[in-house]
Amino acid sequence: MQEKIEKQLALFSKRMISLDELERIIQPFVQTYEEFAEMVLALEAKGTIEMVKAKGRTIRTPSLAFQYRIHKHLLMKNYHRELQRYQNQLHPAIQLDEYYGKEPSVWERDKPFILKIDAYLRTHNLPREVAAAPERSVELVGDEKWIDEGGGREVLKRIGLFELLRIVPVSDPLMFAINPTNIARTSQLHLIVENKTTYQALLPALCDTFFSTLIYGKGKSVISNIEQFSMQYPIQATHRFYYFGDIDREGVSIWYSLSKKIPVSPALPFYRACLRKEPTRGKEYQTERAEALLSFLSYFDLDEKWWLSELLASGLYYPQETLKTWELQHIWRETDWTS
Protein backbone atom coordinates (compact mmCIF):
# COMPACT_ATOMS: atom_id res chain seq x y z
CA MET A 1 0.00 0.00 0.00
CA GLN A 2 2.77 2.46 0.92
CA GLU A 3 4.52 1.71 -2.37
CA LYS A 4 1.36 2.63 -4.31
CA ILE A 5 0.98 5.87 -2.37
CA GLU A 6 4.62 6.78 -2.94
CA LYS A 7 4.16 6.14 -6.66
CA GLN A 8 1.24 8.61 -6.64
CA LEU A 9 3.42 11.15 -4.84
CA ALA A 10 6.16 10.68 -7.43
CA LEU A 11 3.60 11.44 -10.13
CA PHE A 12 2.24 14.49 -8.29
CA SER A 13 2.80 17.58 -10.46
CA LYS A 14 4.10 19.87 -7.66
CA ARG A 15 6.88 19.72 -5.07
CA MET A 16 4.52 20.92 -2.32
CA ILE A 17 1.32 19.12 -1.37
CA SER A 18 -1.47 20.28 0.92
CA LEU A 19 -3.07 18.01 3.50
CA ASP A 20 -6.29 17.98 1.45
CA GLU A 21 -4.41 16.90 -1.66
CA LEU A 22 -2.59 14.24 0.34
CA GLU A 23 -5.91 12.98 1.67
CA ARG A 24 -7.28 12.56 -1.85
CA ILE A 25 -4.29 10.37 -2.71
CA ILE A 26 -4.38 8.21 0.44
CA GLN A 27 -8.16 8.02 0.99
CA PRO A 28 -8.73 5.02 -1.34
CA PHE A 29 -6.34 2.96 0.82
CA VAL A 30 -7.69 3.73 4.32
CA GLN A 31 -10.99 3.68 6.20
CA THR A 32 -10.56 6.09 9.12
CA TYR A 33 -8.76 9.30 10.05
CA GLU A 34 -6.51 7.34 12.37
CA GLU A 35 -5.41 5.06 9.52
CA PHE A 36 -4.88 8.12 7.28
CA ALA A 37 -2.82 9.89 9.93
CA GLU A 38 -0.77 6.76 10.58
CA MET A 39 0.12 6.54 6.89
CA VAL A 40 1.06 10.24 6.69
CA LEU A 41 3.22 10.01 9.80
CA ALA A 42 4.92 6.91 8.40
CA LEU A 43 5.78 8.87 5.25
CA GLU A 44 7.10 11.71 7.45
CA ALA A 45 9.24 9.32 9.48
CA LYS A 46 10.64 7.77 6.34
CA GLY A 47 11.57 11.21 4.98
CA THR A 48 9.43 10.87 1.88
CA ILE A 49 7.51 13.99 2.88
CA GLU A 50 8.58 16.83 5.18
CA MET A 51 6.42 19.31 7.07
CA VAL A 52 6.42 22.92 5.85
CA LYS A 53 6.87 24.53 9.25
CA ALA A 54 5.49 27.94 8.24
CA LYS A 55 2.09 26.36 7.57
CA GLY A 56 1.74 24.73 11.01
CA ARG A 57 -0.07 21.57 12.10
CA THR A 58 -3.66 20.55 12.81
CA ILE A 59 -5.07 20.33 16.33
CA ARG A 60 -6.46 16.85 15.75
CA THR A 61 -4.83 13.80 17.27
CA PRO A 62 -2.64 12.54 15.75
CA SER A 63 -1.60 16.01 14.50
CA LEU A 64 -0.63 16.43 10.84
CA ALA A 65 0.96 19.28 8.93
CA PHE A 66 -1.19 21.50 6.73
CA GLN A 67 1.40 21.30 3.96
CA TYR A 68 4.27 18.96 3.09
CA ARG A 69 7.32 19.10 0.86
CA ILE A 70 7.69 15.99 -1.31
CA HIS A 71 11.28 14.67 -1.51
CA LYS A 72 11.04 13.35 -5.03
CA HIS A 73 14.70 12.31 -5.19
CA LEU A 74 13.90 9.61 -2.60
CA LEU A 75 10.82 8.53 -4.54
CA MET A 76 12.90 8.26 -7.71
CA LYS A 77 14.95 5.52 -6.06
CA ASN A 78 11.79 3.44 -5.77
CA TYR A 79 10.91 4.29 -9.36
CA HIS A 80 14.33 3.13 -10.57
CA ARG A 81 14.04 -0.07 -8.58
CA GLU A 82 10.71 -0.73 -10.29
CA LEU A 83 12.27 -0.17 -13.70
CA GLN A 84 15.03 -2.64 -12.87
CA ARG A 85 12.50 -5.20 -11.70
CA TYR A 86 10.52 -4.92 -14.93
CA GLN A 87 13.68 -4.98 -17.05
CA ASN A 88 14.54 -8.36 -15.53
CA GLN A 89 11.06 -9.70 -16.28
CA LEU A 90 10.33 -8.35 -19.77
CA HIS A 91 11.33 -9.86 -23.11
CA PRO A 92 15.06 -9.14 -23.67
CA ALA A 93 14.33 -7.10 -26.82
CA ILE A 94 12.53 -4.48 -24.70
CA GLN A 95 14.91 -1.90 -23.26
CA LEU A 96 13.88 0.48 -20.48
CA ASP A 97 17.08 2.55 -20.20
CA GLU A 98 15.47 5.72 -21.56
CA TYR A 99 12.91 5.82 -18.75
CA TYR A 100 15.60 6.43 -16.12
CA GLY A 101 15.91 9.96 -17.44
CA LYS A 102 12.17 10.63 -17.64
CA GLU A 103 9.43 11.46 -15.19
CA PRO A 104 7.65 8.44 -13.67
CA SER A 105 4.44 9.63 -15.34
CA VAL A 106 5.91 8.71 -18.75
CA TRP A 107 6.61 5.17 -17.54
CA GLU A 108 3.13 4.86 -16.00
CA ARG A 109 1.53 5.98 -19.26
CA ASP A 110 3.60 3.62 -21.40
CA LYS A 111 3.60 0.57 -19.10
CA PRO A 112 0.22 -0.93 -20.14
CA PHE A 113 1.33 -0.90 -23.78
CA ILE A 114 4.76 -2.29 -22.95
CA LEU A 115 3.16 -5.22 -21.12
CA LYS A 116 1.00 -5.97 -24.18
CA ILE A 117 4.07 -5.81 -26.42
CA ASP A 118 5.89 -8.13 -24.04
CA ALA A 119 3.02 -10.64 -24.30
CA TYR A 120 3.14 -10.42 -28.10
CA LEU A 121 6.91 -10.99 -28.23
CA ARG A 122 6.73 -13.98 -25.89
CA THR A 123 4.20 -15.60 -28.21
CA HIS A 124 5.50 -14.55 -31.64
CA ASN A 125 9.05 -13.24 -31.02
CA LEU A 126 10.36 -10.52 -33.35
CA PRO A 127 8.64 -10.58 -36.77
CA ARG A 128 10.49 -11.64 -39.89
CA GLU A 129 8.08 -10.03 -42.34
CA VAL A 130 7.40 -6.33 -42.76
CA ALA A 131 3.93 -5.01 -41.97
CA ALA A 132 2.15 -1.70 -42.33
CA ALA A 133 1.83 0.39 -39.17
CA PRO A 134 -1.94 -0.28 -38.67
CA GLU A 135 -1.46 -4.04 -39.08
CA ARG A 136 1.44 -4.19 -36.64
CA SER A 137 -0.44 -1.90 -34.27
CA VAL A 138 -3.36 -4.34 -34.06
CA GLU A 139 -0.97 -7.22 -33.42
CA LEU A 140 0.80 -5.41 -30.60
CA VAL A 141 -1.95 -3.62 -28.67
CA GLY A 142 -5.24 -4.30 -30.44
CA ASP A 143 -5.63 -0.75 -31.80
CA GLU A 144 -4.89 -0.09 -35.46
CA LYS A 145 -4.31 3.64 -34.87
CA TRP A 146 -1.96 3.31 -31.90
CA ILE A 147 1.38 3.56 -33.76
CA ASP A 148 0.51 6.46 -36.09
CA GLU A 149 -2.01 8.40 -34.02
CA GLY A 150 -1.85 7.15 -30.42
CA GLY A 151 1.80 7.81 -29.57
CA GLY A 152 2.86 4.24 -30.25
CA ARG A 153 5.72 5.19 -32.55
CA GLU A 154 7.35 7.17 -29.73
CA VAL A 155 6.83 4.33 -27.22
CA LEU A 156 8.40 1.78 -29.57
CA LYS A 157 11.38 4.07 -30.14
CA ARG A 158 11.82 4.59 -26.40
CA ILE A 159 12.03 0.83 -25.80
CA GLY A 160 14.31 0.26 -28.81
CA LEU A 161 11.81 -1.80 -30.80
CA PHE A 162 10.62 0.35 -33.68
CA GLU A 163 13.23 -0.81 -36.20
CA LEU A 164 13.15 -4.41 -34.95
CA LEU A 165 9.38 -4.67 -35.53
CA ARG A 166 9.85 -4.09 -39.28
CA ILE A 167 7.11 -1.47 -39.59
CA VAL A 168 6.56 0.21 -42.96
CA PRO A 169 4.66 3.50 -43.16
CA VAL A 170 1.31 3.80 -44.88
CA SER A 171 1.65 6.81 -47.15
CA ASP A 172 0.43 7.84 -50.56
CA PRO A 173 2.33 6.32 -53.49
CA LEU A 174 5.24 8.36 -54.79
CA MET A 175 4.36 9.94 -58.15
CA PHE A 176 7.07 9.88 -60.78
CA ALA A 177 7.82 9.39 -64.46
CA ILE A 178 10.52 7.03 -65.72
CA ASN A 179 13.13 7.52 -68.43
CA PRO A 180 13.39 3.96 -69.86
CA THR A 181 16.73 4.62 -71.52
CA ASN A 182 18.46 5.15 -68.16
CA ILE A 183 17.04 2.50 -65.85
CA ALA A 184 19.87 0.07 -66.59
CA ARG A 185 22.59 2.51 -65.47
CA THR A 186 24.60 1.57 -62.37
CA SER A 187 24.56 5.21 -61.26
CA GLN A 188 21.22 6.99 -61.59
CA LEU A 189 19.96 10.55 -61.15
CA HIS A 190 16.52 11.56 -59.91
CA LEU A 191 14.97 15.03 -59.87
CA ILE A 192 12.29 15.91 -57.32
CA VAL A 193 10.22 19.05 -57.97
CA GLU A 194 7.86 20.63 -55.46
CA ASN A 195 5.01 21.78 -57.70
CA LYS A 196 2.79 20.24 -60.36
CA THR A 197 3.36 23.05 -62.89
CA THR A 198 7.11 22.50 -62.85
CA TYR A 199 6.63 18.73 -63.12
CA GLN A 200 4.43 19.11 -66.20
CA ALA A 201 6.86 21.58 -67.76
CA LEU A 202 9.87 19.28 -67.32
CA LEU A 203 8.17 16.00 -68.22
CA PRO A 204 8.59 16.30 -72.03
CA ALA A 205 12.35 16.77 -71.57
CA LEU A 206 12.89 13.75 -69.29
CA CYS A 207 14.05 11.38 -72.03
CA ASP A 208 16.54 13.99 -73.27
CA THR A 209 18.39 14.00 -69.94
CA PHE A 210 20.63 11.69 -67.94
CA PHE A 211 17.95 11.40 -65.26
CA SER A 212 16.15 8.13 -64.64
CA THR A 213 13.06 9.63 -63.00
CA LEU A 214 11.22 12.91 -62.56
CA ILE A 215 9.43 12.88 -59.20
CA TYR A 216 6.44 15.07 -58.33
CA GLY A 217 6.91 16.08 -54.69
CA LYS A 218 3.41 17.50 -54.13
CA GLY A 219 4.64 19.97 -51.52
CA LYS A 220 5.26 18.40 -48.13
CA SER A 221 3.89 15.01 -49.24
CA VAL A 222 7.27 13.93 -50.59
CA ILE A 223 8.74 13.92 -47.05
CA SER A 224 6.75 10.79 -46.20
CA ASN A 225 6.16 9.45 -49.73
CA ILE A 226 9.87 9.17 -50.54
CA GLU A 227 9.97 6.12 -48.25
CA GLN A 228 8.07 4.27 -51.01
CA PHE A 229 10.77 4.91 -53.60
CA SER A 230 12.80 1.73 -53.14
CA MET A 231 9.66 -0.42 -53.33
CA GLN A 232 8.17 1.38 -56.34
CA TYR A 233 11.52 1.58 -58.13
CA PRO A 234 13.42 -1.59 -57.11
CA ILE A 235 16.41 -0.96 -59.37
CA GLN A 236 19.81 -1.96 -58.02
CA ALA A 237 21.97 1.10 -58.61
CA THR A 238 23.61 4.05 -56.90
CA HIS A 239 20.85 6.64 -56.65
CA ARG A 240 21.52 10.37 -56.46
CA PHE A 241 18.67 12.81 -55.77
CA TYR A 242 18.28 16.49 -56.59
CA TYR A 243 15.50 18.76 -55.37
CA PHE A 244 14.00 21.94 -56.83
CA GLY A 245 11.33 23.84 -54.94
CA ASP A 246 10.11 27.37 -54.32
CA ILE A 247 12.70 29.72 -52.86
CA ASP A 248 10.71 30.59 -49.77
CA ARG A 249 10.76 29.49 -46.15
CA GLU A 250 8.37 26.61 -46.81
CA GLY A 251 10.31 25.35 -49.85
CA VAL A 252 13.58 25.42 -47.92
CA SER A 253 11.96 23.61 -45.00
CA ILE A 254 10.59 20.86 -47.27
CA TRP A 255 14.04 20.27 -48.79
CA TYR A 256 15.61 20.17 -45.32
CA SER A 257 13.08 17.67 -43.94
CA LEU A 258 13.53 15.53 -47.05
CA SER A 259 17.32 15.63 -46.62
CA LYS A 260 16.83 13.96 -43.23
CA LYS A 261 15.26 10.99 -45.02
CA ILE A 262 17.58 10.65 -48.03
CA PRO A 263 20.76 12.36 -49.27
CA VAL A 264 19.35 15.04 -51.60
CA SER A 265 21.09 18.09 -53.02
CA PRO A 266 19.44 21.35 -54.08
CA ALA A 267 19.29 21.45 -57.89
CA LEU A 268 21.50 24.57 -58.00
CA PRO A 269 21.23 25.37 -61.74
CA PHE A 270 17.46 25.86 -61.36
CA TYR A 271 17.80 27.89 -58.16
CA ARG A 272 20.54 30.10 -59.63
CA ALA A 273 18.42 30.75 -62.71
CA CYS A 274 15.66 31.97 -60.38
CA LEU A 275 18.05 34.37 -58.66
CA ARG A 276 18.56 36.19 -61.98
CA LYS A 277 14.84 37.04 -62.10
CA GLU A 278 12.71 39.59 -60.26
CA PRO A 279 11.46 38.19 -56.94
CA THR A 280 7.83 38.23 -55.81
CA ARG A 281 6.53 39.73 -52.57
CA GLY A 282 4.44 37.62 -50.22
CA LYS A 283 4.34 34.60 -47.91
CA GLU A 284 5.46 36.64 -44.91
CA TYR A 285 3.24 34.33 -42.83
CA GLN A 286 5.62 31.40 -43.33
CA THR A 287 7.79 30.43 -40.37
CA GLU A 288 11.54 30.29 -40.81
CA ARG A 289 13.48 27.22 -39.64
CA ALA A 290 16.91 28.64 -38.91
CA GLU A 291 18.69 25.28 -39.17
CA ALA A 292 16.98 24.54 -42.50
CA LEU A 293 18.00 27.88 -44.02
CA LEU A 294 21.57 27.55 -42.74
CA SER A 295 21.90 24.09 -44.30
CA PHE A 296 20.35 25.24 -47.58
CA LEU A 297 22.62 28.29 -47.86
CA SER A 298 25.73 26.14 -47.39
CA TYR A 299 25.36 25.01 -51.04
CA PHE A 300 25.67 28.56 -52.42
CA ASP A 301 28.58 30.95 -52.79
CA LEU A 302 29.02 34.01 -50.57
CA ASP A 303 27.14 36.54 -52.72
CA GLU A 304 24.26 34.15 -53.24
CA LYS A 305 24.04 33.43 -49.52
CA TRP A 306 23.82 37.15 -48.76
CA TRP A 307 21.14 37.76 -51.38
CA LEU A 308 19.03 34.76 -50.33
CA SER A 309 19.20 35.79 -46.67
CA GLU A 310 18.19 39.38 -47.49
CA LEU A 311 15.48 38.18 -49.86
CA LEU A 312 13.69 35.96 -47.37
CA ALA A 313 14.14 38.39 -44.48
CA SER A 314 12.45 41.16 -46.50
CA GLY A 315 9.37 39.10 -47.40
CA LEU A 316 10.36 38.29 -50.97
CA TYR A 317 10.49 34.87 -52.62
CA TYR A 318 10.81 33.03 -55.93
CA PRO A 319 8.10 30.57 -56.98
CA GLN A 320 9.22 27.75 -59.24
CA GLU A 321 6.96 29.22 -61.89
CA THR A 322 9.45 32.12 -62.18
CA LEU A 323 11.18 29.94 -64.78
CA LYS A 324 9.29 29.43 -68.04
CA THR A 325 8.86 25.98 -69.55
CA TRP A 326 11.55 26.48 -72.18
CA GLU A 327 14.01 27.73 -69.53
CA LEU A 328 13.36 24.75 -67.26
CA GLN A 329 13.83 22.28 -70.09
CA HIS A 330 16.97 24.01 -71.38
CA ILE A 331 18.61 24.02 -67.92
CA TRP A 332 17.75 20.37 -67.37
CA ARG A 333 19.07 19.24 -70.75
CA GLU A 334 22.22 21.36 -70.92
CA THR A 335 23.58 21.15 -67.36
CA ASP A 336 26.31 18.60 -66.63
CA TRP A 337 24.63 16.96 -63.60
CA THR A 338 27.19 14.17 -63.33
CA SER A 339 30.20 16.34 -62.49
Side-chain angles (χ1 to χ4, degrees):
M1 180 171 61
Q2 189 178 60
E3 184 177 343
K4 292 180 179 179
I5 293 170
E6 288 181 343
K7 184 177 293 184
Q8 291 298 312
L9 290 173
L11 297 174
F12 193 69
S13 59
K14 297 176 289 186
R15 296 283 176 179
M16 301 291 185
I17 186 168
S18 69
L19 189 59
D20 289 340
E21 290 169 325
L22 195 54
E23 185 177 4
R24 283 195 288 272
I25 290 175
I26 297 178
Q27 194 172 39
F29 303 99
V30 297
Q31 300 295 323
T32 66
Y33 173 78
E34 287 72 21
E35 290 176 342
F36 167 65
E38 181 182 351
M39 179 56 66
V40 174
L41 293 172
L43 292 169
E44 273 195 70
K46 190 176 179 181
T48 302
I49 58 175
E50 178 187 4
M51 170 189 176
V52 177
K53 293 180 180 179
K55 299 294 183 179
R57 298 183 77 91
T58 67
I59 60 173
R60 295 187 67 175
T61 303
S63 178
L64 303 175
F66 283 110
Q67 189 176 55
Y68 287 94
R69 180 178 293 103
I70 304 171
H71 290 299
K72 293 204 172 189
H73 66 284
L74 297 177
L75 296 172
M76 292 298 283
K77 291 181 180 179
N78 294 335
Y79 165 53
H80 291 166
R81 280 196 292 267
E82 179 178 341
L83 288 177
Q84 186 58 56
R85 185 170 68 251
Y86 273 95
Q87 184 66 84
N88 293 336
Q89 297 170 357
L90 294 169
H91 188 280
I94 298 174
Q95 298 299 314
L96 304 182
D97 293 354
E98 193 166 328
Y99 289 97
Y100 285 90
K102 296 189 177 297
E103 288 293 315
S105 58
V106 179
W107 162 247
E108 288 299 318
R109 187 181 65 232
D110 292 356
K111 183 165 60 174
F113 299 108
I114 293 173
L115 294 178
K116 289 182 179 181
I117 295 165
D118 175 64
Y120 168 83
L121 292 177
R122 291 186 182 282
T123 302
H124 303 285
N125 217 325
L126 292 169
R128 295 183 179 180
E129 303 296 328
V130 299
E135 179 184 341
R136 190 70 82 215
S137 198
V138 170
E139 292 175 345
L140 295 174
V141 301
D143 177 359
E144 75 280 5
K145 296 181 179 180
W146 179 69
I147 290 176
D148 284 334
E149 300 178 29
R153 185 180 302 269
E154 291 71 27
V155 175
L156 293 174
K157 287 181 178 179
R158 274 196 285 273
I159 62 177
L161 273 185
F162 187 77
E163 299 295 333
L164 296 177
L165 288 172
R166 302 177 64 81
I167 299 166
V168 294
V170 176
S171 56
D172 292 333
L174 189 66
M175 292 178 274
F176 59 87
I178 295 175
N179 181 353
T181 62
N182 288 338
I183 61 174
R185 291 177 179 270
T186 57
S187 180
Q188 300 192 17
L189 305 178
H190 309 276
L191 176 62
I192 305 168
V193 294
E194 182 180 342
N195 299 331
K196 187 185 297 183
T197 302
T198 306
Y199 174 85
Q200 293 290 355
L202 286 170
L203 185 58
L206 173 59
C207 291
D208 299 329
T209 73
F210 287 101
F211 282 73
S212 298
T213 67
L214 173 64
I215 300 171
Y216 170 40
K218 198 179 179 183
K220 292 182 179 179
S221 298
V222 72
I223 299 168
S224 58
N225 297 353
I226 197 65
E227 295 173 348
Q228 305 281 348
F229 179 79
S230 61
M231 289 183 283
Q232 291 182 229
Y233 191 79
I235 305 297
Q236 294 297 317
T238 300
H239 299 288
R240 184 175 176 185
F241 294 88
Y242 288 93
Y243 182 83
F244 176 43
D246 294 336
I247 304 179
D248 58 19
R249 294 186 178 100
E250 185 72 14
V252 171
S253 181
I254 292 171
W255 165 79
Y256 184 69
S257 296
L258 183 62
S259 72
K260 297 297 183 182
K261 295 287 188 73
I262 59 168
V264 55
S265 302
L268 293 180
F270 291 117
Y271 285 112
R272 284 177 167 143
C274 288
L275 296 182
R276 294 192 288 270
K277 306 283 187 174
E278 284 296 317
T280 301
R281 179 164 294 280
K283 299 191 179 182
E284 292 91 343
Y285 61 88
Q286 292 182 348
T287 302
E288 180 180 302
R289 291 173 65 187
E291 73 278 11
L293 181 59
L294 188 63
S295 182
F296 182 72
L297 292 178
S298 69
Y299 287 86
F300 295 86
D301 63 33
L302 193 60
D303 290 340
E304 292 167 337
K305 288 179 183 179
W306 178 86
W307 170 234
L308 284 167
S309 298
E310 290 293 311
L311 174 94
L312 296 176
S314 60
L316 299 173
Y317 76 103
Y318 290 103
Q320 287 185 290
E321 292 78 6
T322 295
L323 300 180
K324 299 183 182 300
T325 296
W326 69 267
E327 291 176 293
L328 289 165
Q329 293 182 0
H330 176 77
I331 292 167
W332 204 20
R333 290 191 184 106
E334 300 303 320
T335 298
D336 181 7
W337 298 94
T338 59
S339 61

